[in-house]
Amino acid sequence: MFVYAIVSLGAIGLFFGLVLAFASQVFYVEKDPKIEAISEFLPAANCGACGYPGCGAFAEAVVKGEAGISDCAPGGNDVASKIADVLGVSAAESTEEYVAEVACMGGREYCDEQFVYHGINDCRAAMMYANGFKACDHGCLGLGTCVEVCNFGAITMGDNGIPIMDPDKCTGCNRCKNICPKNVIRMINKKTKHHVRCNSKDKGKVVKRACKIGCIGCGVCAKNCPEEAITVEENLAYIDSHTCTNCGKCIEKCPRDCITDTLDFKTKALS
Amino acid sequence: MGDLLPIFFGVIFVNNLVLIQFLGICPFMGVSKKVDTSIGMGMAVTFVMTLAAVITWMIHNWILVPFGIEYLQTVSFILVIASLVQFVEMAVEKISPSLYQSLGVFLPLITTNCAIMGLALLNITNEYSLLESAVHGVGGAIGFTIALLLIAGIREQLELAKMNDLVKGISVAFIVAGVISVAFLGFEGVV
């Protein structure tokens, strides 16, 4: 009896083991060795702070170039520099600090509302009605969902309905960025000062109708930038933080006043 | 045929694995935050549960019973389910990388899904035939998917509702699960 048990269970185990071994040959998928190398450094907490489901997915995204090397908030600079070694990127780039910024200045005084919203005081709920009550399809709704999720008290709601980020308190954990239904929060290089504070990918005419200070994608800033750090994609200007020298020419030339150079992220008084 | 329909619908509604028999509660609570992921989980569980029901039946009736070693039931069934999940994971990764991506960590989690083990053991205790076991497996998986979809839909709405911090999140999900479970008690006696 005892022998039967050992033999049969062993046979079953051997059979399944062989099937699996065979299957692993048949279904072998080639993986980039860099992905495995990076996975080893990651904290393996699968916390999701990077915006990916787990550390494995993050490692893949980094190798593909979709995620930044310093996007792993729990890993911090140690992990970032190790990833930089694997990818062969300069370490200086890996120690960059990123902070959250609201890419919208269209507060109540500048941006119209399509209708009066009387629903749940939550941006995600407001999005369910015709993409929110703001006339601009990409603008900040300002109901403070990001304020609620911030664990570090870095976000306060401004009087004009646009959140104010505190870069000193912001740890770059991405929580507000991930929860924002309008995708209006983005991570910016802490050292670079100049940013386009607009998220509208609509054509200039549409932007003008909805908001007094939105980016119309005219490209004046790109033409006047001596470093050629500005590109216009999908009717929206974008400043490359690595080439920008903070000369401030774009601010002078921007006809819509949507470029700012302050890092305290308060909506500047527009002249 | 006469027995198959009652088994099929019975395990979906009357004896729903999750809501009535309380098997597989962990994926039920863990994967039911979004409808998308719960659909993916449902599909993966359907595949594994059906195959597991058939293979465990074969192992029990063709190997364990002839040798008189039924006490090895649990061990050998775990062996089957674990290797089946491994196999599915490898196959899905090769055949459909996009599905593999969307299922993510839930695929390996099926190994520890007690609904699958429970269903395999139920097949044996109820003395089902091979065909009946297969139908029982498909029905159980469909019932699992329905339960997952029901609570995922409700939880997506609950995310937005204002409520006391005490009950927000997983607590209210358990309360909702209890209410759905009570609702499913209404099916008792139908089949």
Side-chain angles (χ1 to χ4, degrees):
Chain A
M1 293 304 278
F2 189 59
V3 180
Y4 284 148
I6 294 175
V7 170
S8 56
L9 203 63
I12 296 172
L14 192 69
F15 173 72
F16 281 114
L18 285 176
V19 169
L20 281 182
F22 180 67
S24 70
Q25 293 283 316
V26 174
F27 297 121
Y28 180 71
V29 181
E30 266 190 43
K31 269 194 176 170
D32 199 332
K34 281 179 191 166
I35 296 176
E36 267 174 39
I38 289 176
S39 301
E40 273 175 34
F41 303 133
L42 296 174
N46 292 316
C47 65
C50 50
Y52 293 89
C55 295
F58 172 71
E60 263 189 71
V62 170
V63 172
K64 278 185 197 158
E66 287 167 6
I69 30 186
S70 54
D71 279 1
C72 180
N77 283 342
D78 290 351
V79 168
S81 59
K82 277 176 189 163
I83 296 175
D85 288 345
V86 174
L87 293 179
V89 191
S90 71
E93 233 169 80
S94 68
T95 52
E96 274 168 8
E97 274 187 80
Y98 281 78
V99 287
E101 175 211 47
V102 180
C104 177
M105 291 197 295
R108 284 193 200 94
E109 66 270 49
Y110 302 123
C111 187
D112 300 330
E113 294 186 1
Q114 302 184 65
F115 53 85
V116 180
Y117 174 71
H118 279 303
I120 300 169
N121 204 25
D122 187 299
C123 299
R124 289 166 295 170
M127 275 295 279
M128 289 179 179
Y129 303 97
N131 266 356
F133 49 84
K134 272 278 173 76
C136 172
D137 211 24
H138 306 272
C140 172
L141 290 171
L143 295 180
T145 302
C146 51
V147 180
E148 271 170 41
V149 297
C150 183
N151 284 343
F152 308 98
I155 314 178
T156 46
M157 186 51 72
D159 295 333
N160 60 349
I162 300 289
I164 301 164
M165 306 286 192
D166 184 342
D168 296 327
K169 285 184 187 164
C170 179
T171 59
C173 72
N174 277 327
R175 282 194 70 157
C176 53
K177 182 190 166 194
N178 293 339
I179 205 150
C180 178
K182 285 279 191 192
N183 292 324
V184 73
I185 298 179
R186 60 187 172 197
M187 306 309 286
I188 55 161
N189 193 333
K190 202 171 179 178
K191 286 185 192 116
T192 322
K193 291 211 154 73
H194 291 70
H195 298 286
V196 180
R197 297 282 307 279
C198 181
N199 191 37
S200 175
K201 297 176 181 73
D202 287 328
K203 290 207 170 113
K205 211 174 156 188
V206 182
V207 175
K208 269 186 182 167
R209 205 185 301 145
C211 178
K212 290 196 184 73
I213 55 171
C215 174
I216 52 174
C218 61
V220 170
C221 50
K223 266 175 222 151
N224 284 287
C225 180
E227 308 294 329
E228 294 184 347
I230 308 183
T231 47
V232 179
E233 278 167 37
E234 291 182 272
N235 302 309
L236 184 61
Y238 167 76
I239 303 180
D240 183 5
S241 64
H242 300 306
T243 32
C244 173
T245 53
N246 294 327
C247 66
K249 286 218 170 85
C250 46
I251 295 190
E252 283 170 31
K253 299 287 180 185
C254 178
R256 303 287 290 173
D257 286 330
C258 56
I259 301 179
T260 62
D261 60 352
T262 47
L263 249 186
D264 58 359
F265 302 152
K266 284 179 183 115
T267 311
K268 71 166 182 177
L270 290 155
S271 50
Chain B
M1 197 62 196
D3 287 341
L4 293 184
L5 277 180
I7 290 175
F8 182 69
F9 288 105
V11 78
I12 293 181
F13 295 110
V14 185
N15 297 316
N16 188 299
L17 287 174
V18 183
L19 296 171
I20 304 296
Q21 308 192 43
F22 302 119
L23 292 166
I25 299 291
C26 9
F28 180 58
M29 282 299 155
V31 199
S32 62
K33 270 189 183 164
K34 279 185 189 156
V35 173
D36 293 351
T37 50
S38 61
I39 290 175
M41 183 68 174
M43 288 194 306
V45 166
T46 307
F47 186 84
V48 175
M49 200 180 263
T50 314
L51 273 183
V54 173
I55 297 177
T56 52
W57 188 93
M58 288 176 180
I59 286 187
H60 184 263
N61 284 285
W62 295 348
I63 298 176
L64 300 187
V65 172
F67 286 129
I69 44 171
E70 285 96 336
Y71 58 87
L72 286 179
Q73 211 180 34
T74 315
V75 183
S76 51
F77 285 11
I78 289 174
L79 202 68
V80 173
I81 294 168
S83 34
L84 211 56
V85 171
Q86 276 289 311
F87 180 80
V88 171
E89 198 179 354
M90 284 191 277
V92 171
E93 188 172 9
K94 178 75 177 182
I95 295 164
S96 167
S98 56
L99 180 67
Y100 180 77
Q101 285 286 322
S102 60
L103 287 176
V105 73
F106 305 130
L107 264 180
L109 277 183
I110 300 173
T111 317
T112 53
N113 186 337
C114 33
I116 292 174
M117 186 68 173
L119 186 116
L121 293 173
L122 275 176
N123 281 337
I124 307 306
T125 42
N126 291 353
E127 294 181 351
Y128 284 151
S129 70
L130 182 56
L131 186 60
E132 283 169 337
S133 296
V135 170
H136 193 222
V138 179
I142 292 175
F144 181 84
T145 313
I146 287 177
L148 213 57
L149 280 178
L150 276 177
I151 197 167
I154 296 173
R155 281 182 77 179
E156 273 192 354
Q157 302 292 318
L158 280 176
E159 277 285 295
L160 300 168
K162 283 273 180 239
M163 64 183 87
N164 196 307
D165 280 349
L166 262 179
V167 288
K168 203 165 178 70
I170 196 77
S171 330
V172 78
F174 268 102
I175 296 169
V176 168
V179 174
I180 302 178
S181 172
V182 170
F184 263 65
L185 280 178
F187 286 115
E188 199 167 86
V190 171
V191 176

